[in-house]
Amino acid sequence: MPLFNQKVSPGLSIADDTDILHFLNPDNSDKYVDARTALKNSDIYSIVFQLSADLANGKLKADAPRAQGILNNPTQTSNAHAFWQSMFAQLLLGGECFAYRWRNQNGTDMTWEYLRPSQVTPFLLEDGSGLIYNINFDEPEVGVMEAVPQSDLIHIRLLSQNGGKTGISPLSALANELQIKDKSNKLTLSALGRSIIAPGILSIKHGGLLSDEDKASRSRKFMKQTSKSENGPIVIDDLEEYTPLEVKSNVAQLLNQVSWTGAQIAKVYGVSDSIINGQGDQQSSIQMMGNAYVKSLARYAKAVTGELNNKLNANINLNLRSAIDPLGDSYATTISNLRKNGILAANQAAWLLKESNYFPEEMPEASTPPVPISPSKDDKSAEGGDNDDED
């Protein structure tokens, strides 16, 4: 009995509940927010830029030399900071980001190539044992790769509705807010335009019912008269009366009506609205807001390190200290307090400060053990507060 080759499907398409909703209501376009359009919003651009920059300012540390090497130099087309910020920005906008791993015959990573979400189509294997991807590369020599195994792709996801296979864009929760703000901006511009169109009202008394053409003609003649008067007094007869308008458009109130959209955007990304120069919580201290921001960064950092640990088979951590404390003063103050409380020795404190690059590596060793400098008598007298006459 002859055997016939049957065509095997490369994989099953990955769908979620939103695809069913769009199928039932294809005209419901307000549920999709394009990333390019969203970046035109100043609040979204500010949050995405700050979060992606701070995550890129962090240091990815791996316990394997090969993994550390590719993390420090992931691409040949740009520097490491630009590559990681682009990855994190796409993660914040689309809920997922991709990078293809170009590897040699030994499986060692040579370079990573950033991929736009439009270039990647994920599929689920028919036996459910993993994912495969169809990738459309920009390079003509590469073209289209089909059935790429998931081990060859860095796929970082945020919130998911299908078991972590794909991510959900945070912009999907801002569709209504962005529409309201867009319509409010149009309303405000319309109010500004209309507030300067009519400088006053010219009333015709005892003139009967004038046609629209007569009214428009008289308006043009009156405006011509005012322009020729060269800021002088305007002369009208007893049959006319001119009343200047005092337009109170209350544009500020129109803007305040949708000021909450900035807070809504900040809430979606899990940060305080003070990040986008909002009012924020007036009762919160700077330290409290800083701690809340660190927690927000840590949430995104876990999504990044979780994928990198899985694909690189290494223990990778994202150190955010350089992002939240760029000068290192807060870290130095913490080390100093631990030294004063007797938790750390002097050589341990100095080693930690050198390790964090707060002290230079070529800093010479102390010839004698340093001791705290007590204030002198002259310093005490200069501080004031003592009455020398009573002594």
Side-chain angles (χ1 to χ4, degrees):
M1 181 177 180
L3 298 177
F4 297 95
N5 294 328
Q6 296 181 355
K7 185 178 180 180
V8 180
S9 175
L12 304 176
S13 61
I14 300 176
D16 52 20
D17 296 339
T18 57
D19 296 328
I20 300 176
L21 295 177
H22 288 173
F23 175 77
L24 296 177
N25 189 11
D27 296 332
N28 193 9
S29 59
D30 59 338
K31 297 304 179 184
Y32 176 76
V33 180
D34 181 39
R36 187 180 298 273
T37 304
L39 285 179
K40 296 180 181 179
N41 184 288
S42 59
D43 294 336
I44 295 180
Y45 180 89
S46 176
I47 287 182
V48 171
F49 173 77
Q50 294 185 54
L51 287 175
S52 61
D54 289 339
L55 289 172
N57 290 338
K59 296 180 180 180
L60 287 167
K61 293 184 178 181
D63 58 356
R66 291 184 179 180
Q68 188 64 53
I70 193 62
L71 293 177
N72 294 339
N73 298 289
T75 181
Q76 297 177 350
T77 56
S78 65
N79 57 73
H81 184 274
F83 174 83
W84 285 116
Q85 185 173 6
S86 180
M87 288 282 289
F88 297 148
Q90 183 58 56
L91 178 67
L92 295 170
L93 290 171
E96 55 186 356
C97 59
F98 304 90
Y100 182 76
R101 304 170 60 188
W102 291 100
R103 297 188 287 179
N104 57 17
Q105 296 179 355
N106 297 327
T108 304
D109 291 88
M110 303 300 294
T111 183
W112 289 356
E113 182 175 351
Y114 169 80
L115 298 174
R116 300 182 302 274
S118 58
Q119 297 178 261
V120 183
T121 304
F123 295 94
L124 178 65
L125 291 175
E126 292 184 346
D127 58 357
S129 60
L131 299 178
I132 55 175
Y133 301 85
N134 289 347
I135 304 176
N136 185 12
F137 288 88
D138 293 332
E139 299 84 351
E141 295 181 356
V142 181
V144 179
M145 284 188 180
E146 295 183 351
V148 177
Q150 61 181 359
S151 59
D152 291 345
L153 205 69
I154 300 295
H155 185 186
I156 305 174
R157 305 94 155 170
L158 290 181
L159 181 64
S160 176
Q161 283 185 311
N162 49 27
K165 300 181 184 67
T166 57
I168 300 175
S169 172
L171 298 179
S172 60
L174 296 173
N176 295 331
E177 284 79 358
L178 293 180
Q179 282 192 347
I180 291 175
K181 192 165 188 177
D182 182 60
K183 293 183 182 299
S184 174
N185 292 338
K186 293 180 181 179
L187 177 62
T188 303
L189 293 175
S190 176
L192 285 172
R194 294 177 183 275
S195 64
I196 61 176
I197 288 177
I201 298 176
L202 181 63
S203 301
I204 305 297
K205 296 183 176 180
H206 309 289
L209 296 177
L210 300 179
S211 63
D212 295 339
E213 291 78 5
D214 294 336
K215 293 178 183 179
S217 176
R218 181 57 189 136
S219 176
R220 290 191 297 269
K221 291 180 181 179
F222 183 78
M223 293 301 296
K224 185 177 181 181
Q225 178 185 355
T226 56
S227 62
K228 288 185 176 181
S229 63
E230 297 181 355
N231 296 327
I234 300 174
V235 180
I236 57 178
D237 53 25
D238 293 339
L239 299 178
E240 296 178 340
E241 180 181 0
Y242 176 73
T243 304
L245 289 179
E246 295 181 2
V247 179
K248 297 180 181 180
S249 57
N250 296 329
V251 177
Q253 294 183 2
L254 292 175
L255 296 176
N256 291 332
Q257 288 177 0
V258 291
S259 61
W260 57 271
T261 56
Q264 294 292 103
I265 295 172
K267 181 178 68 174
V268 168
Y269 283 97
V271 297
S272 172
D273 57 347
S274 60
I275 295 296
I276 53 177
N277 298 325
Q279 295 294 329
D281 189 356
Q282 301 294 335
Q283 298 179 353
S284 299
S285 63
I286 297 178
Q287 184 177 3
M288 291 175 60
M289 291 188 294
N291 293 337
Y293 184 65
V294 172
K295 292 181 180 178
S296 301
L297 288 177
R299 298 187 188 102
Y300 296 110
K302 289 297 182 181
V304 176
T305 56
E307 175 68 12
L308 297 178
N309 290 335
N310 183 28
K311 296 299 174 63
L312 299 181
N313 296 323
N315 186 16
I316 301 173
N317 294 317
L318 180 55
N319 190 351
L320 299 173
R321 183 178 294 120
S322 59
I324 61 178
D325 186 21
L327 298 179
D329 293 339
S330 299
Y331 181 69
T333 302
T334 303
I335 297 299
S336 177
N337 293 332
L338 294 176
R339 171 71 182 93
K340 291 179 181 179
N341 295 331
I343 299 176
L344 292 176
N347 60 338
Q348 292 177 325
W351 182 86
L352 288 174
L353 293 177
K354 284 185 179 181
E355 187 70 14
S356 63
N357 295 327
Y358 191 81
F359 286 162
E361 291 291 339
E362 60 273 10
M363 182 177 179
E365 298 292 339
S367 56
T368 58
V371 294
I373 301 176
S374 59
S376 62
K377 183 177 181 181
D378 295 337
D379 295 336
K380 290 183 179 180
S381 61
E383 291 178 358
D386 296 335
N387 192 349
D388 295 338
D389 296 337
E390 292 181 359
D391 296 339

